[in-house]
Amino acid sequence: MTAEPAGTDRGTAAPVAGARRAAGEATPADLSTPADRYRMMRLIREFDTLALEWVRTGEIPGGIHPYIGQEAVAVGVCAALGPGDRITSTHRGHGHVLARGADPARLLAELAGRESGLNRGRGGSMHAADLSLGILGANGIVGAGAAIAVGAAWAARRSGRDTVVASFFGDGALNQGVLLEALNLASIHRAPVVFVCENNGYATTLPVAAAVGGSAVGRAAAFGIPAVTVDGMDADAVREAAEEAVARARSCGGPGFVECLTYRYEGHHTMERRMRLTYRSPEEVAAWRARDPLERLRPAVPAAEIDAEVAALLERAAAWALSEPRPDPAEAGAYLYAGGPPPRPGVPV
Amino acid sequence: MTWLSYTKALNRALGDAMAADPAVCVLGEDVGAGMAGPTLGLQARFGTDRVLDMPLSEQAFTSFALGAALTGMRPVVEFQIPSLLFLVFEQIVNQAHKFRLMTGGQARVPLTFLVPGSGSRLGWAGQHSDHPYALFVHAGVKTVVPASPADAYGLLRAAVEDDDPVVVFAPAGAMGAREDVTGQLPPVPLGSARVRRAGEDVTVVAVGHLVAEALQVADDLDGEVSVEVLDPRTLHPFDWAALRASVGRTRRLVVYDDANRGCGVAAEVVAVAAEEVALLAPPRRVTRPDGAVLPFAPDLDRASQPQPHQLRDAVRAVVK
Ligand SMILES: Cc1ncc(C[n+]2csc(CCOP(=O)(O)OP(=O)(O)O)c2C)c(N)n1
Ligand SMILES: [Mg+2]
């Protein structure tokens, strides 16, 4: 007996308006040209702008951690990955999940708690995942993804595949024991992992300078892992550093570590809008905004055309997502186990 | 008449405890900014030396607090989300809790762990919606779940003054509560339950934010069933005498508990009542399902939490 409702296999998911791919087909995003990368950064920016709006209107319950400002990191790293590669993501995961090629319509549906969402409405923003694309999940626990990435990389290598796993995490994760333990495991197993530290200057309200003894790259170096720091507002700089680390990892040269200096334009979480926090000066925010990763790439691509294309895609995706049904409350316990009897209900009245 | 909110009550309790005893200090994530509410303004008042913003190193700062507690401080550790308790279970249970017995009573371990916003906050999904108080009860760690602002104040004061580790759960569902309080708020001794509503026919034991819901259900059933609502306030040590007194009279029991069912607090309450009282009807538990992981979509989240209509049905079932 199984707790899974019938007829909800991945393969039978509804076709998606504006999807880059048909449902069920695992094709990571093609980010090979500057136009591709600009398009993806624009998609992430506009996706999260829409998501912010949906938090305000209540379409998205609970809120989100917006990725706006950090687009060059997700896009630069995912541009360096190949079709069979994998990623682990964070609480601020929309950018990573989209850049790896997840369907924006199904991610929107997920955020709105719909049955046809990436996680069937069970995960929401902090747990968005598409395993068919090698996305081993956003994660609600800071630092948790890094060790998962090492294990996934080890398992792939062991079965003879040349898979690389990119693990995204914030500066806050630099102080989690599990992250340091993961660096060591990756080092001793020469695991094909690229650790990507998105240093956006803050863990919620805590500045990096007050939190991180030593440095990000110093931590990696201490475990014998080659590490570089790059401008995380420059998708090409990120991509080049990631390509080098990915190539080394793929050819059995062991893990790498890329620290990307970046910034989130919005508050830590949408809840922050309701608080009067003053941990960042308006001048600081403006200075980083002036280094916008999309503006940097704009002159090199047919930007107006792409912007219109992305806007149309998101409009279709939004309409589709909001028209999709919500999960049946009777299925609240579904998917808890792979097999075995369903759990007892809460109240046997 | 002064209206005190639950969050403000926690905030006032911490401020008063720090003012009363220089050994009391507060540490955690974003406590300087007062992100979660209870620590708002404390850093400006008491300094960065007594209100410490910690990096995201929960395991280390929990045992850091233990080290300070063993050597004269009286730390309060705030955790932003309930699931961080899973991360520091080793430090709380295996280190802090066991220290006193293992050292033959040499040590005092005055440590308070405060979890504002425990349980479901709609839309926070699987990793942010747990209510794991039963784990601490099972391990033997003192555990309180205040239901009202006055109790939040009194129990937090008592927890800080206690010489053992105490975990204080402040349910998200209670943090919006407000109460009319006048004058000085007294500490509430650990281990003392409170009858929130007297009744004749059935005892409802409700935990945390569910106390208010139970009172509402009791009012709704007024005239049909006379419901007594008992708020245990402390889950360990539990006020078994109060349970015995109430259920000894009503001889009917329903437990309303926003946590996973199997091996939960409700199970323990039902077991003790069954052992000690000749019940007139099989007792009922209204809880989350077994091993529940709260799904993201709001309808699924709500369906995984115990609900007032389920309590009403359970009360009617035991008096039938
Ligand atoms: C282990 C853990 N501790 C605390 C939290 C609460 N929390 C969520 S995000 C966050 C800050 C994370 O900062 P960082 O890693 O720099 O990522 P950023 O938010 O800047 O992207 C905190 C404290 C958590 N989710 N997990
Ligand atoms: Mg950060």
Side-chain angles (χ1 to χ4, degrees), chain A residues 10-309:
Chain A
R10 269 298 135 89
T12 63
V16 171
R20 296 181 54 87
R21 62 191 174 85
E25 267 172 45
T27 316
D30 181 359
L31 302 172
S32 46
T33 69
D36 292 333
R37 296 193 283 277
Y38 176 83
R39 183 183 299 107
M40 183 56 78
M41 290 202 288
R42 176 58 66 196
L43 176 66
I44 295 169
R45 171 81 45 103
E46 301 310 322
F47 181 98
D48 261 2
T49 304
L50 176 64
L52 285 172
E53 182 57 27
W54 281 16
V55 172
R56 251 193 309 275
T57 59
E59 294 293 356
I60 295 177
I64 62 162
H65 299 87
Y67 195 70
I68 295 171
Q70 303 184 194
E71 295 89 347
V73 180
V75 172
V77 170
C78 288
L81 297 176
D85 291 341
R86 297 196 169 94
I87 66 167
T88 64
S89 171
T90 68
H91 57 286
R92 198 177 302 289
H94 302 171
H96 314 139
V97 171
L98 290 171
R100 184 60 189 158
D103 184 337
R106 293 189 59 212
L107 182 56
L108 273 177
E110 183 60 32
L111 302 189
R114 306 305 167 114
E115 184 69 44
S116 43
L118 281 182
N119 305 28
R120 301 183 170 106
R122 268 56 175 193
S125 173
M126 268 193 292
H127 307 299
D130 187 340
L131 271 79
S132 71
L133 289 165
I135 303 167
L136 301 182
N139 208 308
I141 300 302
V142 170
I148 296 172
V150 179
W154 171 82
R157 173 58 44 87
R158 203 174 159 277
S159 63
R161 291 191 299 271
D162 68 351
T163 306
V164 172
V165 185
S167 178
F168 294 95
F169 51 87
D171 50 275
L174 291 170
N175 300 313
Q176 281 292 344
V178 68
L179 187 113
L180 303 177
E181 294 170 30
L183 291 177
N184 186 55
L185 284 182
S187 182
I188 62 173
H189 287 289
R190 298 182 71 73
V193 176
V194 178
F195 295 99
V196 181
C197 177
E198 295 189 79
N199 182 349
N200 61 7
Y202 298 86
T204 316
T205 65
L206 189 66
V208 167
V212 181
S215 67
V217 291
R219 281 162 170 66
F223 293 102
I225 299 175
V228 292
T229 300
V230 299
D231 181 357
M233 304 304 271
D234 178 349
D236 285 326
V238 173
R239 180 178 49 83
E240 281 159 23
E243 276 172 356
E244 194 183 320
V246 167
R248 189 176 51 238
R250 208 182 300 287
S251 58
C252 300
F257 188 108
V258 182
E259 179 191 27
C260 305
L261 302 178
T262 183
Y263 204 74
R264 58 170 161 76
Y265 295 173
E266 294 288 323
H268 167 70
H269 182 267
T270 38
M271 249 176 23
E272 193 180 308
R273 291 188 162 199
R274 276 186 269 129
M275 306 170 152
R276 269 153 298 176
L277 298 179
T278 52
Y279 61 96
R280 310 193 301 183
S281 71
E283 294 75 29
E284 181 183 296
V285 180
W288 279 93
R289 278 180 179 273
R291 308 187 47 232
D292 189 75
L294 279 78
E295 293 305 316
R296 181 194 291 266
L297 214 52
R298 230 183 136 77
V301 300
E305 202 177 300
I306 294 173
D307 291 355
E309 202 183 294

Side-chain angles (χ1 to χ4, degrees), chain B:
Chain B
M1 184 157 126
T2 330
W3 285 95
L4 181 67
S5 80
Y6 192 104
T7 307
K8 184 71 196 159
L10 294 173
N11 184 241
R12 188 186 292 178
L14 288 177
D16 289 356
M18 294 184 81
D21 180 355
V24 177
C25 58
V26 174
L27 54 99
E29 287 152 16
D30 308 293
V31 291
M35 276 266 296
T39 65
L40 200 66
L42 294 181
Q43 196 173 62
R45 185 169 160 205
F46 296 103
T48 51
D49 214 33
R50 285 182 73 192
V51 180
L52 283 77
D53 276 314
M54 283 285 169
L56 278 62
S57 307
E58 292 84 5
Q59 298 186 325
F61 71 64
T62 300
S63 280
F64 171 106
L66 169 59
L70 292 173
T71 52
M73 298 296 286
R74 197 170 278 279
V76 178
V77 183
E78 186 190 78
F79 295 111
Q80 265 177 10
I81 47 177
S83 53
L84 297 182
L85 292 169
F86 299 142
L87 209 59
V88 298
F89 209 62
E90 143 69 16
Q91 284 73 15
I92 295 179
V93 173
N94 215 25
Q95 304 295 336
H97 169 58
K98 294 184 181 176
F99 205 95
R100 187 175 157 80
L101 180 135
M102 293 191 304
T103 57
Q106 294 178 62
R108 289 182 310 123
V109 189
L111 258 178
T112 303
F113 304 105
L114 176 61
V115 191
S118 61
S120 164
R121 294 186 278 181
L122 218 57
W124 286 73
Q127 287 176 340
H128 281 57
S129 305
D130 292 300
H131 229 160
Y133 40 71
L135 296 182
F136 294 93
V137 174
H138 185 75
V141 182
K142 293 179 178 177
T143 304
V144 304
V145 191
S148 71
D151 281 350
Y153 179 90
L155 286 165
L156 182 52
R157 285 301 302 269
V160 174
E161 276 163 26
D162 202 89
D163 281 341
D164 292 314
V166 182
V167 185
V168 180
F169 286 86
M175 287 188 73
R178 291 159 73 80
E179 192 171 1
D180 176 18
V181 295
T182 25
Q184 200 79 357
L185 285 164
V188 174
L190 302 184
S192 78
R194 176 175 167 208
V195 175
R196 290 291 302 268
R197 182 190 202 276
E200 306 296 325
D201 300 332
V202 53
T203 298
V204 170
V205 174
V207 178
H209 61 295
L210 297 188
V211 172
E213 288 186 11
L215 290 168
Q216 183 62 52
V217 168
D219 283 350
D220 293 347
L221 290 172
D222 204 28
E224 180 187 342
V225 190
S226 169
V227 177
E228 176 145 309
V229 177
L230 182 72
D231 173 4
R233 304 198 285 192
T234 306
L235 299 181
H236 185 75
F238 199 96
D239 189 347
W240 296 120
L243 180 78
R244 222 173 280 125
S246 177
V247 181
R249 274 188 299 99
T250 63
R251 298 175 66 193
R252 291 185 171 92
L253 173 66
V254 177
V255 189
Y256 197 35
D257 172 21
D258 177 37
N260 293 359
R261 190 174 184 82
C263 299
V265 166
E268 185 64 21
V269 171
V270 163
V272 170
E275 283 170 345
E276 301 190 3
V277 178
L279 296 168
L280 297 173
R284 296 280 183 164
R285 288 172 283 166
V286 182
T287 64
R288 295 187 183 190
D290 277 332
V293 175
L294 261 52
F296 166 70
D299 291 347
L300 302 181
D301 183 319
R302 273 188 288 263
S304 308
Q305 296 180 61
Q307 296 162 61
H309 74 86
Q310 297 171 320
L311 176 61
R312 205 173 46 235
D313 292 348
V315 168
R316 285 187 171 135
V318 298
V319 295
K320 212 162 28 207

